[in-house]
């Protein structure tokens, strides 16, 4: 019997493993792909306090090695469900049989919704980004575009307009889902230009993004914009349906959990990007990992 099973070896899951081991608990991490999570392919991280600059791979490897050196175990299997047993223990179903434990931490993260256009994956990290908070600073005094019409897109555009020379906001409709007040504030900025009823239809440039092709959905007219960065802000996709029988999910599929990382089921905790929260970053994922692990350790007794 494991004390704590942690689902997901991203920043939240690995941080949880470090805290669980230091609390003297037997910790098993179950990971569907490889350790590291979303940050693994990012060339530069510059906003993790205490580390000026590091690649996503080195950041994730440091976390993994710290957890492994402390005695956390990792198995590469996908978790397909959790059952809460009458005695309070949990059975975790995986693609390779069941595992038993006293407490579970779900740290399955989320994926950014892609635009689904050619070369998007290839140019991610070379001009294409899904996170203005993470990568915006690399585009100081440059022209960029934000694609999307919700609050995140409008907030991202506002943030970028503070230090980028030009910010295009490209949206497929002529109305925004974002707060009207925020849209109006953005419209008043001189370096922001709205391109509505339009879609990004091609990414230009060889090894680095140098521009985009934008197509007006109503007229079919195409134009090219010279930009160094494209920020795609059309939503995130959490994948927690496998856990819906044991934890409550919000309408977008995030696990309902606050700063205490508790869920509606005793002994099931949640950490990182997979839970309801306002800021999804490495710092908040690591903080959740610590909080969830200490709560899980207390539940194990
Ligand atoms: C391109 C990019 C750049 C970013 N740059 C920065 C940055 O510079 N600074 C910053 O602070 N943040 C950055 N972020 C955000 C940051 O990466 C996330 O906030 C952070 O990774 C969240 O960690 P997490 O552990 O909650 O989730 P994740 O990193 O998503 O890890 C979740 C893990 O769970 C696994 N998993 C999912 N479902 C299952 C299952 N059913 N069974 C087993 N395993 C499962 C996944 O395979 C994954 O490894 C960036 C994100 C992206 C995409």
């Amino acid at each position: 019997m494991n004390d704590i099973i942690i689902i997901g070896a991203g920043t939240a899951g690995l941080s949880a493993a470090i805290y669980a081991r230091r609390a003297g608990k037997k910790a098993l991490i179950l990971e569907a792909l490889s350790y590291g999570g979303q940050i693994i392919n990012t060339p530069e991280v510059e906003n993790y306090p205490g580390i000026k600059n590091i690649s996503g791979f080195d950041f994730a490897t440091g976390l993994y090695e710290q957890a492994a050196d402390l005695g956390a175990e990792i198995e590469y299997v996908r978790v397909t469900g959790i059952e809460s047993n009458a005695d309070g223990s949990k059975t975790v179903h995986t693609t390779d049989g069941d595992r038993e434990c006293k407490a579970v931490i779900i740290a399955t993260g989320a994926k950014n919704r892609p635009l689904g256009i050619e070369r998007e994956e290839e140019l991610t990290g070379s001009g294409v980004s899904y996170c203005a908070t993470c990568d915006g600073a690399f585009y100081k005094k440059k022209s960029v575009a934000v694609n999307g019409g919700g609050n995140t897109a409008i907030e991202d555009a506002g943030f970028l307009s503070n230090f980028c020379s030009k910010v295009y906001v490209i949206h497929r409709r002529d109305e925004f889902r974002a707060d009207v007040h925020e849209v109006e504030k953005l419209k008043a900025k001189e370096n922001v230009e709205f391109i509505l009823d339009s879609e990004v239809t091609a990414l230009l440039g060889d090894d680095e993004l140098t521009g985009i092709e934008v197509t007006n959905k109503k007229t079919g007219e195409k134009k090219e914009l010279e930009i160094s960065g494209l920020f795609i802000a059309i939503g995130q996709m959490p994948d927690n349906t496998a856990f819906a029988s044991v934890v409550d999910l919000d309408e977008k599929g995030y696990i309902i959990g606050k700063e205490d990382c508790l869920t509606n089921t005793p002994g099931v905790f949640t950490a990182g990007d997979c839970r309801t929260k306002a800021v999804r970053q490495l710092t908040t994922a690591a903080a959740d990992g610590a909080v969830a692990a200490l709560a899980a350790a207390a539940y194990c007794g």
Side-chain angles (χ1 to χ4, degrees):
M1 168 82 81
N2 295 285
D3 288 320
I4 304 172
I5 286 185
I6 298 159
I7 308 172
T11 302
L14 292 170
S15 302
I18 292 168
Y19 274 78
R21 286 302 299 142
R22 285 179 56 90
K25 300 299 174 192
K26 193 167 159 18
L28 172 65
I29 309 168
L30 303 177
E31 165 58 52
L33 300 171
S34 58
Y35 73 75
Q38 289 171 61
I39 205 63
I40 198 89
N41 293 318
T42 304
E44 279 182 301
V45 176
E46 290 195 338
N47 61 358
Y48 196 85
I51 305 176
K52 266 195 187 166
N53 182 295
I54 190 167
S55 73
F57 179 79
D58 287 347
F59 177 81
T61 302
L63 270 181
Y64 169 72
E65 286 177 354
Q66 195 175 354
D69 286 355
L70 284 165
E73 285 175 37
I74 186 161
E75 281 184 40
Y76 292 98
V77 289
R78 176 169 288 279
V79 174
T80 52
I82 303 170
E83 250 174 84
S84 192
N85 306 315
D87 64 356
S89 69
K90 316 290 170 212
T91 303
V92 176
H93 305 298
T94 82
T95 42
D96 183 35
D98 292 348
R99 310 284 184 278
E100 304 296 328
C101 62
K102 294 178 185 163
V104 179
I105 298 172
I106 308 174
T108 46
K111 288 193 180 67
N112 290 300
R113 199 179 292 282
L115 273 180
I117 57 174
E118 254 180 68
R119 305 189 58 225
E120 185 173 351
E121 211 176 311
E122 177 196 331
L123 289 171
T124 296
S126 301
V128 173
S129 170
Y130 300 84
C131 180
T133 317
C134 315
D135 299 333
F138 300 124
Y139 297 91
K140 270 187 195 138
K141 300 197 173 130
K142 294 185 177 167
S143 286
V144 298
V146 175
N147 193 181
N151 282 322
T152 305
I154 298 303
E155 271 171 30
D156 284 358
F159 172 69
L160 293 164
S161 69
N162 294 330
F163 49 84
C164 292
S165 55
K166 175 92 186 180
V167 179
Y168 297 98
V169 178
I170 300 158
H171 181 37
R172 65 197 163 119
R173 300 206 180 88
D174 61 357
E175 281 178 0
F176 289 87
R177 273 176 290 113
D179 296 341
V180 179
H181 178 66
E182 294 304 320
V183 176
E184 290 310 316
K185 253 173 48 187
L186 194 62
K187 278 184 179 165
K189 294 203 166 190
E190 276 180 5
N191 61 340
V192 176
E193 182 178 333
F194 284 72
I195 303 181
L196 304 179
D197 292 319
S198 298
E199 285 177 329
V200 178
T201 40
L203 303 172
L204 313 174
D206 296 330
D207 301 333
E208 294 272 332
L209 186 82
T210 54
I212 51 174
E213 177 194 78
V214 177
T215 305
N216 186 297
K217 288 178 69 188
K218 288 193 171 154
T219 63
E221 187 200 339
K222 290 183 190 298
K223 63 176 167 186
E224 287 186 8
L225 302 177
E226 250 182 60
I227 55 162
S228 312
L230 171 65
F231 291 86
I232 300 169
I234 54 172
Q236 276 201 320
M237 304 182 296
D239 184 9
N240 297 311
T241 41
F243 315 117
S245 62
V246 78
V247 292
D248 288 341
L249 306 181
D250 75 359
E251 70 291 347
K252 290 184 181 155
Y254 291 105
I255 298 168
I256 296 179
K258 299 193 189 128
E259 300 304 309
D260 57 14
C261 297
L262 304 180
T263 70
N264 54 305
T265 298
V268 180
F269 304 86
T270 180
D273 280 14
C274 65
R275 81 165 173 89
T276 48
K277 55 158 70 175
V279 179
R280 293 191 169 86
Q281 288 280 278
L282 296 171
T283 45
T284 58
D288 277 6
V291 171
L294 294 178
Y299 179 85
C300 293

